[in-house]
Amino acid sequence: MASPRYTRRHLFSLRNHIPIDRVIEALSIPSSNQAGKYRFRCPVCHEQNTGVNLKTNLARCFNCQKNYNTIDLVIKVMNVGFLQSVAYLEKLKADTQVPPAPPTHPRKAAKHNDMVHIGDIFKSLIPPKSDSDILNHPSCDKNQAITDLEERICVLEHQVTQLTKKIELLQLR
C-alpha cells in the first residue's frame, strides 16, 4: 500500500494553525509560564531553557539549540515517524476547535496580501464540460469541494476586511 501524500497547504496548516502551546499541553510536556514567557521541558536535553514564539508558532531550546515546529515536536516526544506525527496532529486538530486557516488563493497557496479577483473564484466554481475534466476537477471529491469553498469564503472575508480598513483610513483623512 502506498504511503499517503500530503499537500504543502495541508502540512503548512498542521505546522502553523495548531498552536504549539496546545500541542505541548496535549503531549503532556511539563511547561510553565515564567515572567510572561511560555517555557517547556526540551525533549532532547530535558532542560527548561526554552522559548515559544506564538506569532511564528515555533519553539526553541536555547541549551541544545534545537528548533521545533508542531510536527517536529510530536516526532521527538512520541518517538514516531513523520506520517504518525501528521496523523496525530490531524486527530488533535479534529478533536479541538482550531481557528480557521488564514485565507489562501482558491487554486494555490498565496501570500496573505495577494489580491484574488472575485471573478476568478466564481470561474473556479464552474463545473467542467467533459468526462475527463470531471474526474480531474477538484470538486469531484465532496470533502475537498467543501474545503475549497470554505477557503474561498475566507479569502473573500479577508478582502472585505482589508477594504473596510482602507475605507476607514480614507474617511479619517
Side-chain angles (χ1 to χ4, degrees):
M1 184 172 159
S3 61
R5 294 188 154 246
Y6 299 104
T7 64
R8 286 183 180 182
R9 182 186 301 171
H10 183 66
L11 294 176
F12 179 88
S13 176
L14 292 178
R15 280 192 308 270
N16 296 289
H17 300 129
I18 301 174
I20 197 158
D21 55 341
R22 187 176 301 167
V23 175
I24 291 168
E25 291 170 13
L27 292 170
S28 301
I29 300 172
S31 60
S32 64
N33 201 342
Q34 300 171 353
K37 295 184 180 181
Y38 190 81
R39 306 266 186 212
F40 66 98
R41 193 182 83 206
C42 175
V44 174
C45 70
H46 305 290
E47 295 293 326
Q48 196 85 6
N49 189 16
T50 57
V52 172
N53 185 334
L54 297 176
K55 288 182 183 177
T56 61
N57 209 39
L58 296 172
R60 177 172 178 79
C61 176
F62 299 107
N63 281 358
C64 66
Q65 305 297 309
K66 177 74 175 141
N67 296 314
Y68 299 99
N69 62 38
T70 55
I71 296 173
D72 298 331
L73 197 60
V74 172
I75 288 172
K76 194 65 185 168
V77 171
M78 295 181 69
N79 196 26
V80 296
F82 176 79
L83 295 177
Q84 293 88 354
S85 175
V86 169
Y88 175 83
L89 290 170
E90 286 173 333
K91 183 174 179 354
L92 181 65
K93 188 174 181 179
D95 290 346
T96 58
Q97 200 72 357
V98 177
T104 56
H105 189 280
R107 291 288 177 222
K108 64 181 181 184
K111 294 178 183 173
H112 301 310
N113 295 335
D114 285 355
M115 297 302 290
V116 178
H117 296 284
I118 194 165
D120 292 340
I121 294 172
F122 289 122
K123 285 177 192 172
S124 69
L125 296 173
I126 298 171
K129 294 175 182 155
S130 71
D131 289 341
S132 62
D133 288 339
I134 291 171
L135 295 175
N136 295 325
H137 195 268
S139 66
C140 188
D141 174 19
K142 275 188 176 180
N143 291 332
Q144 185 61 43
I146 291 169
T147 302
D148 287 347
L149 287 172
E150 288 172 345
E151 288 175 3
R152 292 177 190 139
I153 290 168
C154 195
V155 167
L156 289 172
E157 289 172 345
H158 175 72
Q159 289 182 346
V160 167
T161 302
Q162 294 293 80
L163 288 171
T164 304
K165 288 178 184 177
K166 287 179 182 178
I167 290 169
E168 288 172 0
L169 286 174
L170 289 172
Q171 288 175 343
L172 290 175
R173 290 182 183 176

